[in-house]
Each structure stands twice: as structure tokens, then as C-alpha cells.
Amino acid sequence: MTIQAPVQLRPDARDRIIDTLTTQKIPAEYGLRVGIRGGGCGSSWLLGFDLPGPADEVYLIDDVRVIIDKRHLLYVLDATIGYEESEDGRGFVVEKGG
């Protein structure tokens, strides 16, 4: 079984990612790394631009290269990445499907 898109990108997040890649002149070999940091109740989402390594799977989701470590795939499956701006600040948000 091949997973086509283990995570979803909301249009706001997709636009922000592509804009950042372009304005920061990040090389095309890079992609958005999606994963988890820590474990159990202390885990948090890991989002950042990175190069794929030997333990990674690379997906093209809505014209964005998404890099996921094979060991993290089960944890990030069905997550939706968005971008929000509020009075408290702005940034990417991750919602986990069920």
C-alpha cells in the first residue's frame, strides 16, 4: 500500500510555505519536515525546512515537498497543517484527525 498524502495542507499553510521557500531562496532540494519531538504526553510537533535523509519518505502534497521520517509516519498520519494569525501571534498549527 502506498500513501499518497499522509498529511493535508490547508490553502493558507500551503501559500505561506511556498512564499517562505521563495522569499528565503531555500533550495529546491529542501522540503517541509513534519514529525514529532519527544514522546508520550510531552510530545510536540516538529515543522521546519530540511533536506531528506535515508530514513525519510518524501511526498509531493499540493506542490509542496513534505518530508516525513518513516518512524514518525504513524504519528503524523491524518494531520492537517494550517496557518493562523491572531492577537496572540501567528504561526503554523497542526490538527490531528481521528
Side-chain angles (χ1 to χ4, degrees):
M1 179 176 97
T2 302
I3 300 171
Q4 295 298 320
V7 299
Q8 303 299 313
L9 299 174
R10 290 195 327 227
D12 52 355
R14 177 194 172 278
D15 293 346
R16 181 61 65 158
I17 292 163
I18 290 173
D19 182 59
T20 301
L21 288 167
T22 304
T23 59
Q24 299 298 316
K25 298 183 173 124
I26 297 173
E29 302 83 40
Y30 281 72
L32 178 70
R33 178 171 296 281
V34 178
I36 55 164
R37 186 182 301 144
C41 295
S43 65
S44 61
W45 288 96
L46 171 68
L47 297 173
F49 297 108
D50 199 3
L51 288 168
D56 294 325
E57 293 286 344
V58 179
Y59 303 90
L60 187 62
I61 303 172
D62 298 329
D63 297 324
V64 173
R65 284 183 65 170
V66 176
I67 303 166
I68 302 174
D69 186 313
K70 293 174 190 171
R71 297 168 295 185
H72 294 204
L73 190 57
L74 181 63
Y75 301 103
V76 303
L77 197 60
D78 294 327
T80 299
I81 300 167
Y83 187 84
E84 293 182 354
E85 295 188 35
S86 69
E87 292 177 7
D88 297 330
R90 60 184 173 189
F92 290 98
V93 293
V94 182
E95 300 165 354
K96 183 73 165 99

